[in-house]
Amino acid sequence: MGKQKKVFIIHFQPLKLFPPAMNLIDFLSEEKELELFICTNDKNNSSLKPYENNKVTIFRPSSLTENSYWQYVNYFLFYSSSLFHLLWHRPETVIYIETLSSWPALVYKKIRRKKVRLMAHYHEYTEPGLYASGMVLSKWMHKFERKMYPLFSWISHTNTERMQMFKNDCDLNKMKEELFHIMPNYPSQEWINLKVKNYADNKIKRLVFVGSLGYKNMYLQEVLDWLAPKREEFKLDIYSYNIDAKAKQTLQECNLPNVKYHGGCNYDDLPTILKNYDIGLVIYKPFSKNTVHAVSNKVFEYLACGLDVWFSNDMTYTFNYVRENVYPKVIPVNFEQLQQFDYRSAISREGIRFEPSPYYYEKVYVALRDFILN
């Protein structure tokens, strides 16, 4: 084997909160021709275990905190450390994930110019108004990256709708199409459950919600109201590390015996947890273009583990993944009108066959890996 190619990935937010980033690193770390360096943050007061991978070198120069003074100190530590390690290790390829991770990569590209390939991936779509009204640091970095997009080797988003909105916002439609790539947020092929049982005849159907939970931007109250008279038909378990105060208070005060909040869970534990359920919920309200034109990671994770998926019909892009003629099903639901929802038809397996999920990241990340190697 020849000399390994150095790849440096910058992810400002703690990796343990972003499964797609962990999956990408896991995939690339299996390539023996690559030497991976990661710079990320940790998070204080977190019950989740930090991401670890003994095949990569991980730098965590700072920890995110609620204290505003220390937060500025942490910003300085993260960006200065990231740039130092870039200059020290001199990677041929740099990947940053989201705008807030961009500054060290952009400066490094300025310094080394054509000797480095600069790549960016975005988990989310950010509307121009959010950049304008948001954190000054993020706004400033976005101006910097926009000026440098013509020097990039790769830009990726999670779906075609988000990518087109991004290109329109940043005036990139005249740039070469081969610069732009789509990388959906799929789980590993190892998650695919090939032994899914028919739950339609079970007395109690087991619902689950996993992920960030907000009261104003999700149909939590509507789901609880619907479940209240259905105690003998459905139970709902909620796993959420990132939950706002109003949502947590609502769950504590709802007094429903068929609803239980478990706190957060580690990503690696999800396949074991999800196999105990029948239906996964995705309950976003249409509070932003990012949400409307999204497919939640959980759609693919639920589906991989053999669960039916009930998603909010406000999420228009997710309609591309609807499947009702095979199971597990993916079904749009009007959570504002749950009393009219024909849930008996939704859970029926009559006349349909089992078909495992075709969505896993091993198919998606091959293009990025081959691009780096070649």
Side-chain angles (χ1 to χ4, degrees):
M1 184 177 70
K3 183 180 178 182
Q4 290 179 302
K5 293 188 176 182
K6 294 181 179 180
V7 179
F8 202 105
I9 299 176
I10 306 173
H11 195 283
F12 179 85
Q13 298 292 346
L15 284 171
K16 59 188 175 185
L17 302 180
F18 290 84
M22 295 189 288
N23 288 339
L24 175 61
I25 295 168
D26 284 344
F27 179 81
L28 292 178
S29 70
E30 295 299 320
E31 177 52 61
K32 294 181 180 179
E33 294 184 36
L34 299 180
E35 182 181 9
L36 262 63
F37 302 89
I38 317 296
C39 198
T40 186
N41 269 306
D42 203 351
K43 185 173 179 64
N44 290 334
N45 304 319
S46 171
S47 59
L48 302 180
K49 63 183 180 182
Y51 171 78
E52 298 293 345
N53 184 330
N54 59 17
K55 296 179 181 179
V56 305
T57 302
I58 302 177
F59 307 110
R60 290 188 175 91
S62 57
S63 295
L64 300 186
T65 175
E66 300 298 325
N67 183 294
S68 58
Y69 169 77
W70 284 110
Q71 191 71 311
Y72 286 113
V73 173
N74 289 333
Y75 285 141
F76 173 79
L77 290 173
F78 178 81
Y79 293 123
S80 59
S81 177
S82 297
L83 182 56
F84 169 80
H85 287 298
L86 283 168
L87 294 171
W88 182 263
H89 294 286
R90 299 171 69 84
E92 298 89 350
T93 301
V94 179
I95 305 170
Y96 73 81
I97 301 179
E98 296 294 348
T99 297
L100 207 52
S101 308
S102 65
W103 184 82
L106 298 173
V107 173
Y108 183 68
K109 176 66 175 177
K110 280 277 191 181
I111 294 172
R112 298 208 66 202
R113 299 183 181 274
K114 294 182 178 180
K115 294 180 181 179
V116 59
R117 290 190 295 181
L118 183 56
M119 306 169 68
H121 177 67
Y122 297 92
H123 294 307
E124 312 286 351
Y125 165 73
T126 303
E127 298 176 47
L130 292 179
Y131 278 121
S133 63
M135 189 169 63
V136 173
L137 188 61
S138 183
K139 178 181 177 181
W140 174 76
M141 287 188 187
H142 184 54
K143 287 184 177 180
F144 191 7
E145 66 180 349
R146 282 192 63 166
K147 291 179 180 179
M148 290 190 63
Y149 280 144
L151 303 178
F152 281 40
S153 299
W154 172 293
I155 299 173
S156 52
H157 265 275
T158 59
N159 68 53
T160 55
E161 290 288 340
R162 284 176 166 179
M163 176 62 84
Q164 190 56 57
M165 292 188 296
F166 164 80
K167 290 169 69 174
N168 292 344
D169 296 342
C170 299
D171 298 320
L172 301 178
N173 285 303
K174 293 182 179 180
M175 294 185 68
K176 293 182 179 179
E177 197 59 37
E178 55 263 32
L179 172 66
F180 304 103
H181 303 264
I182 305 301
M183 294 205 308
N185 292 334
Y186 297 160
S188 171
Q189 188 174 10
E190 296 177 357
W191 284 40
I192 306 298
N193 186 354
L194 299 177
K195 298 179 180 179
V196 177
K197 296 180 180 179
N198 185 353
Y199 70 86
D201 296 326
N202 293 352
K203 182 179 180 181
I204 297 180
K205 281 70 177 177
R206 301 163 298 178
L207 304 171
V208 66
F209 174 90
V210 178
S212 299
L213 183 58
Y215 186 82
K216 289 184 177 181
N217 59 5
M218 297 192 185
Y219 291 110
L220 174 61
Q221 189 63 61
E222 290 81 354
V223 170
L224 297 178
D225 292 343
W226 183 73
L227 287 173
K230 295 179 171 58
R231 302 180 185 188
E232 302 302 319
E233 293 182 82
F234 292 95
K235 61 169 289 190
L236 169 63
D237 286 356
I238 293 174
Y239 298 85
S240 180
Y241 168 76
N242 184 19
I243 180 172
D244 70 22
K246 177 63 175 177
K248 182 178 286 189
Q249 180 184 2
T250 300
L251 291 173
Q252 291 170 341
E253 296 177 354
C254 72
N255 294 321
L256 293 177
N258 56 335
V259 176
K260 184 176 181 180
Y261 170 57
H262 295 265
C265 63
N266 290 301
Y267 182 70
D268 291 341
D269 297 331
L270 270 182
T272 302
I273 292 171
L274 290 178
K275 72 179 183 180
N276 297 311
Y277 298 94
D278 306 312
I279 302 159
L281 301 182
V282 180
I283 57 175
Y284 286 103
K285 293 180 179 179
F287 65 94
S288 71
K289 289 183 179 180
N290 179 55
T291 302
V292 171
H293 300 289
V295 186
S296 169
N297 309 351
K298 295 299 170 286
V299 170
F300 305 117
E301 291 161 8
Y302 293 149
L303 192 62
C305 293
L307 282 68
D308 281 359
V309 182
W310 294 357
F311 72 91
S312 164
N313 66 353
D314 296 309
M315 302 174 69
T316 58
Y317 192 82
T318 309
F319 277 80
N320 292 310
Y321 295 89
V322 167
R323 40 187 263 170
E324 300 183 72
N325 297 321
V326 295
Y327 71 90
K329 296 179 178 180
V330 179
I331 297 175
V333 176
N334 185 343
F335 284 101
E336 290 185 299
Q337 301 292 333
L338 277 172
Q339 301 308 321
Q340 301 175 21
F341 175 45
D342 185 3
Y343 64 90
R344 291 185 176 86
S345 175
I347 65 178
S348 173
R349 294 284 192 261
E350 186 175 353
I352 63 175
R353 60 180 173 80
F354 167 71
E355 186 175 293
S357 172
Y359 308 115
Y360 46 89
Y361 71 66
E362 287 84 352
K363 292 193 297 186
V364 172
Y365 295 150
V366 168
L368 181 141
R369 182 201 63 194
D370 291 349
F371 181 85
I372 294 171
L373 290 174
N374 298 326

